[in-house]
Amino acid sequence: FNIRLLKEVRPLADTLKGVKGINRIVARLDSSRPMVVAGAIREILHLQYLREAGYEILEAGKEVFDEKGRAVTDIDGLARSPDGKLVITEAKSFDLLFKYIERLSPSTCDYWVKYWLNDVIEDKARRFAINRDLINQVVGEKIGKIIFVVDFKGQDGIEEITRKKIEELSKRYRFPMELHSYEKVRGPLAEAIQEYGEWEESHTGVTFIEKEKKLLTLYKKYKLDGHW
């Protein structure tokens, strides 16, 4: 594992001490599975980003169960916005697509962009929306909005269509939703985000794409493993 990256991330995690559930996320940094570590880092970075943006982080990594004890969705974070609203925060990533989009054929690119919008963003928004009353009951307060935090790797085009998609979903489900991007982050947090991207690339086994099938195979594996 990239020791430098963990040295960058652990001090950021330390600033979140006292947040309910954060210890479970920090413990995953010691996992032997790269994708488990990657997910934990992503969740820590998005919480720190929101804290620097003026949000009070209340809880990290919460699962929501129905009356029969079945898991209906999970929440990456609960936070209090600067205007006092309780918000759900969601750390999302599709790093391989964002990094290598220029190297994909138009048809493959179109396929994965639609997957990102529909199977990643819309699916999570729908789960939050249809379980809104249950979530409000579980957290003991009405949720004011949902915030998706994404590192688009400078892909302004995908960021723009994602923003439009989230605006459309917000209107459809009558549930306020926002998109936040890491692009303007500076300082230690920015360094950790950059280091994370380089580390994740080296551990997915993809330095460059020679065949599109390699990318497709990786994503099928990620989906089956539940790393979304």
Side-chain angles (χ1 to χ4, degrees):
F1 292 109
N2 190 316
I3 302 302
R4 177 184 165 190
L5 171 60
L6 294 180
K7 286 182 178 179
E8 296 269 8
V9 171
R10 289 189 188 278
L12 296 177
D14 287 343
T15 68
L16 297 166
K17 281 183 177 178
V19 172
K20 185 177 180 181
I22 193 64
N23 289 340
R24 292 194 300 272
I25 296 176
V26 172
R28 284 158 48 198
L29 294 175
D30 297 319
S31 173
S32 60
R33 298 177 61 191
M35 292 308 297
V36 172
V37 178
I41 293 172
R42 188 163 56 243
E43 290 177 38
I44 291 168
L45 293 178
H46 106 282
L47 292 174
Q48 184 63 23
Y49 160 80
L50 290 166
R51 169 168 279 183
E52 292 188 5
Y55 289 76
E56 177 190 2
I57 309 303
L58 304 176
E59 188 167 353
K62 187 178 188 67
E63 286 193 292
V64 178
F65 299 89
D66 63 16
E67 65 280 358
K68 295 183 179 180
R70 298 173 299 191
V72 296
T73 191
D74 62 276
I75 296 172
D76 287 341
L78 284 173
R80 183 77 58 191
S81 67
D83 61 2
K85 293 180 180 178
L86 183 66
V87 303
I88 289 174
T89 70
E90 186 70 13
K92 282 299 178 193
S93 174
F94 209 169
D95 288 352
L96 291 181
L97 172 64
F98 298 157
K99 287 181 180 181
Y100 301 109
I101 189 169
E102 292 88 355
R103 305 185 189 185
L104 302 180
S105 70
S107 61
T108 302
C109 177
D110 182 64
Y111 176 87
W112 288 116
V113 169
K114 287 180 178 177
Y115 188 94
W116 161 251
L117 295 174
N118 300 326
D119 293 66
V120 179
I121 297 297
E122 181 172 344
D123 179 71
K124 203 56 186 275
R126 180 185 61 81
R127 288 176 183 272
F128 286 146
I130 64 177
N131 293 292
R132 186 181 331 187
D133 292 340
L134 176 60
I135 294 172
N136 290 341
Q137 180 182 345
V138 169
V139 302
E141 186 177 340
K142 183 179 179 180
I143 298 295
K145 63 182 173 181
I146 302 166
I147 295 176
F148 291 90
V149 183
V150 183
D151 179 8
F152 286 98
K153 310 296 182 190
Q155 296 292 345
D156 295 338
I158 297 182
E159 179 177 350
E160 182 59 26
I161 60 175
T162 303
R163 193 175 303 281
K164 290 180 179 178
K165 179 70 173 184
I166 288 175
E167 290 174 356
E168 183 267 320
L169 292 170
S170 183
K171 292 177 182 177
R172 184 196 308 176
Y173 293 119
R174 298 181 181 180
F175 202 159
M177 303 179 194
E178 292 180 1
L179 174 65
H180 287 220
S181 170
Y182 286 126
E183 298 304 319
K184 296 181 180 179
V185 171
R186 297 291 183 270
L189 179 57
E191 294 174 9
I193 291 169
Q194 174 65 25
E195 190 72 19
Y196 162 65
E198 295 172 1
W199 173 87
E200 186 178 49
E201 179 176 341
S202 68
H203 279 76
T204 56
V206 176
T207 303
F208 60 91
I209 294 178
E210 294 179 342
K211 295 182 179 179
E212 293 168 1
K213 183 178 179 181
K214 189 172 184 179
L215 179 65
L216 300 177
T217 301
L218 280 170
Y219 267 107
K220 288 177 182 178
K221 180 179 184 302
Y222 287 178
K223 185 178 180 182
L224 290 174
D225 287 348
H227 296 304
W228 289 103

